[in-house]
Amino acid sequence: MSAENCPYCHGGPALADFAIKICDLSEYSSLYLFKEQSHPGRMVVAYRGHVSEIVDITPEQLQGYMADVARIARLIHKMFHPQKVNYGAFGDLNPHLHFHLVPKYEGQFEWGGTFQMNPRAVMLSDKEYDELIERIKRELPSV
């Protein structure tokens, strides 16, 4: 996949199918709410340049990007109180550097196993997405 048709680079219907952009976190990354919310609070931190692998960026860029990933992990722990956050960076079908941050709860959906990429089991209303994004934006400066 080239940058020209990458959902993270260009948004549009391809991105709207699975995520909503919340904001740019830094010069290194942008934050997205993953629409499928079987794991309440699941988000994606995407690198702001079109690269496929962490080896495609400089050590400084990697440090800045991973600091953003850690910041969102802290936010998820603060807001959603999971027992564990799973991190997924697959990119086979969308080779743009991004991490899924997936809150996991003991005794709940997929605890003890690998999370599904998009089970489409829990979708929110537009109002619920808007409210969740506003909560995230309010809490973001505190982490």
Side-chain angles (χ1 to χ4, degrees), residues 84-99:
K84 178 71 177 99
V85 173
N86 285 183
Y87 303 85
F90 308 111
D92 297 357
L93 300 177
N94 184 4
H96 182 114
L97 178 58
H98 65 285
F99 274 81

Side-chain angles (χ1 to χ4, degrees), residues 128-140:
E128 289 170 316
Y129 288 126
D130 291 344
E131 289 171 352
L132 181 52
I133 289 168
E134 285 308 310
R135 281 184 53 219
I136 292 165
K137 286 180 176 180
R138 278 195 307 273
E139 292 296 331
L140 192 54

Side-chain angles (χ1 to χ4, degrees), residues 23-35:
C23 65
D24 292 329
L25 292 170
S26 70
E27 66 183 285
Y28 304 107
S29 70
S30 298
L31 178 63
Y32 298 84
L33 180 66
F34 198 72
K35 282 187 170 180

